[in-house]
Structure formats: structure tokens, C-alpha cells
Amino acid sequence: MQLFQDIEITLRDIQSSLFPPHRHHYFELLYILDGTGIHSINSNQYPYGQGNLFLLTPEDTHSFRTTSETRCCIIDFTKGLFARRHRNQTDRAEITEFFVSMEYIFHNHQNLEGHIAMNPQETTLTDILIMQLVREKEQSRIYSGIIIQNIVFLLLNIIARLLQENVAGELKNTGAKNIIHEITTYIQQNIYQKGLLKIESLATHFHKTPDHLNRYFKQQTGLTLKTYIGRYKLRLVETRLRYSGMNISEIADEMGYTDESHLNKVLKTAYGKTAKEYRKTVNNL
């Protein structure tokens, strides 16, 4: 299966001398199978131990200082994962939920500090999933590919939920901000469902009139709903320009722009660059 081929699973022994500060080209989950030490991420020092799960993005610089023998499982998400339009209809229908969870995580990871905090039940479940992932990787039995894929799906959904609950927990006693978080999360999770993002549909979902919802959202954020949705779509466009091999027309089509010219006009207004110019700039960084 193509999606499985875009997920790379690596088991690695970590030695401080072999892990100087470095970056990765794409995204990865790193799970500590055994060992202790300090994981430095963007110059912040985080103690780690068995069972800790870290999310690393291309912007993160990280290194290790081990205090005991350390082994980890690394799940790399490659460039191919962002080329959704290159898949056939069956694949695309099957992985829609995966992409929504993945994009939510990658565009909200700033709410994570150090390893991903979990309760005891989630920690146990994650450990079981990773151990099975390791076994499937090492034994390569029949159906190992689809089992690995589904385990990764489940891990990403757990992380997405933890991110949402983490932000919601911080906003629990702030009323208005918590409702705004619910609205923005709903928009991000349904960004490809154009009908659900119409102001009338949003208003119905949140039990408000269209005028009230739009006015309330702008009072709390300084943005209209249309502006917020447009900006989030642009963030997804940026991700594809940075990390995928999709051509500009494919990106425009997927993100709901009329055509390549329409997308270029939006990017030119926002960043002063066409899509091609933007991609060339970020790829030369």
C-alpha cells in the first residue's frame, strides 16, 4: 500500500556522541523504548525516560545526552504523505481521517512542550501499540504493512485528541476562549468539507445565528470567520509547497481555489510571492 511506503519505521540505539544537534527534512514521532537522559529540542532541555513520546517537526533542532543505554523507535513521515492528489480514489477515501489528524497535529504542535503528556491508561495503550509496531517491523509477517499503517493511524488520533484536550483544559475557566477553541478546531477538522464551513452551517452547528456567530468570533479573535478559514487554508498550502512534490494546480484544486491563478493571487497578497516563488524561497532556506 502506498501510504505504508510513506511511513518509515526505524529502531535505533542512541549514543550522545552520535547525536549532535541536527534537523530532519520532514516530521517524526520518537518513542523511548528504554533508557534515560536529556533530550534537547530547540535548546530546551527535557529529561526523558522509557515510555516518553516526542513529536519533531522540520523546524526543530534536537540532540541527546544519555545517562543510561537508550533505544528508541522512530516513525518518520516522508514527503509522499503530503501528495494526497497522487492517490487513487480508494486510497484517498481510506486516509481522509488520517490526514485530518496529521494536519491538526502538525499545525498545533506548538502546544506541546517536551514529550507528549498522557494519563496512565494512554501511556499503557501507547506502549502496547509501539511494541506491536516494533514486532511487525522486525518480523515482517503477512499483513504487517496494513497493521503498521493502522497502528500509526491510531497513534496520531490519540495525539490529536491529547492536543485538543490540552488546549481545552488550559481554557477551561476562560469561557469565551474555550468556545473559540471549539470553533477553530471544528474548522480545522472540516477544512476539506466546504459545505460545513459555510457561515450558515457553522451557525447551525454552534446553535447561533450567522450574524451572531460571525460578530462573536470577530470580537474574540479580531478576525471574521471567512478570514480565519482563508488563513488556515494558506497554512496548509504552505505545508504542501514546503514538503510535497504536488504541482501548483494540484494544490489549488485540493484546497478549493478556482485555479492556479487564483491561488497565486491569494499568495501574492499574503506574502508578496507567487506559489512558485514561495516554494523556491523556502526550499533554499
Side-chain angles (χ1 to χ4, degrees), residues 10-24 28-56 60-76 114-115:
T10 306
L11 302 178
R12 186 170 297 173
D13 294 320
I14 296 176
Q15 298 178 29
S16 300
S17 60
L18 299 179
F19 274 80
H22 65 282
R23 292 182 179 179
H24 298 269
E28 76 173 35
L29 289 174
L30 187 149
Y31 183 82
I32 304 298
L33 295 167
D34 197 19
T36 56
I38 300 295
H39 189 186
S40 176
I41 306 175
N42 302 326
S43 299
N44 296 308
Q45 312 296 308
Y46 301 106
Y48 71 80
Q50 190 278 326
N52 285 169
L53 179 66
F54 295 89
L55 169 68
L56 298 168
D60 294 327
T61 299
H62 76 126
S63 62
F64 288 90
R65 186 169 73 252
T66 62
T67 54
S68 68
E69 190 173 332
T70 298
R71 195 171 195 232
C72 66
C73 175
I74 298 172
I75 304 171
D76 280 308
H115 71 270

Side-chain angles (χ1 to χ4, degrees), residues 186-205:
Y186 181 83
I187 289 171
Q188 291 181 26
Q189 291 178 333
N190 293 284
I191 196 67
Y192 300 105
Q193 306 297 320
K194 192 174 181 179
L196 295 180
L197 299 187
K198 291 181 178 179
I199 184 64
E200 294 80 11
S201 298
L202 288 169
T204 298
H205 182 82

Side-chain angles (χ1 to χ4, degrees), residues 38-205:
I38 300 295
H39 189 186
S40 176
I41 306 175
N42 302 326
S43 299
N44 296 308
Q45 312 296 308
Y46 301 106
Y48 71 80
Q50 190 278 326
N52 285 169
L53 179 66
F54 295 89
L55 169 68
L56 298 168
T57 75
E59 286 72 34
D60 294 327
T61 299
H62 76 126
S63 62
F64 288 90
R65 186 169 73 252
T66 62
T67 54
S68 68
E69 190 173 332
T70 298
R71 195 171 195 232
C72 66
C73 175
I74 298 172
I75 304 171
D76 280 308
F77 302 94
T78 70
K79 185 174 184 177
L81 280 175
F82 292 92
R84 294 178 66 199
R85 280 289 170 183
H86 293 295
R87 315 203 184 279
N88 62 42
Q89 283 301 128
T90 303
D91 281 343
R92 199 155 57 244
E94 183 179 335
I95 64 178
T96 297
E97 184 180 349
F98 167 76
F99 273 101
V100 171
S101 296
M102 187 176 74
E103 288 177 335
Y104 182 85
I105 292 167
F106 292 162
H107 289 283
N108 292 275
H109 70 275
Q110 66 275 8
N111 293 305
L112 294 172
E113 289 190 11
H115 71 270
I116 300 169
M118 303 181 188
N119 64 36
Q121 293 78 18
E122 290 160 340
T123 299
T124 299
L125 175 58
T126 299
D127 188 67
I128 291 171
L129 291 172
I130 294 290
M131 291 302 104
Q132 188 62 39
L133 196 66
V134 171
R135 283 191 287 271
E136 296 296 337
K137 166 68 177 177
E138 291 180 330
Q139 297 172 9
S140 190
R141 299 166 58 194
I142 186 171
Y143 300 129
S144 283
I146 190 64
I147 290 172
I148 287 174
Q149 176 176 295
N150 286 330
I151 289 174
V152 173
F153 278 21
L154 185 52
L155 285 170
L156 287 171
N157 277 284
I158 290 171
I159 296 167
R161 181 176 67 183
L162 289 170
L163 269 172
Q164 290 182 32
E165 291 177 347
N166 179 45
V167 176
E170 292 175 358
L171 300 173
K172 191 161 128 182
N173 299 317
T174 59
K177 289 184 179 179
N178 193 33
I179 296 171
I180 292 300
H181 170 66
E182 291 179 14
I183 295 171
T184 56
T185 297
Y186 181 83
I187 289 171
Q188 291 181 26
Q189 291 178 333
N190 293 284
I191 196 67
Y192 300 105
Q193 306 297 320
K194 192 174 181 179
L196 295 180
L197 299 187
K198 291 181 178 179
I199 184 64
E200 294 80 11
S201 298
L202 288 169
T204 298
H205 182 82

Side-chain angles (χ1 to χ4, degrees), residues 93 260 279:
E260 184 176 337
R279 172 171 270 170

Side-chain angles (χ1 to χ4, degrees), residues 241 248 260 263-269 271-281:
L241 290 173
I248 310 304
E260 184 176 337
L263 175 57
N264 279 328
K265 183 177 179 181
V266 173
L267 282 167
K268 194 80 172 177
T269 299
Y271 305 118
K273 294 180 175 69
T274 65
K276 185 177 181 180
E277 292 167 343
Y278 182 90
R279 172 171 270 170
K280 184 176 180 180
T281 299

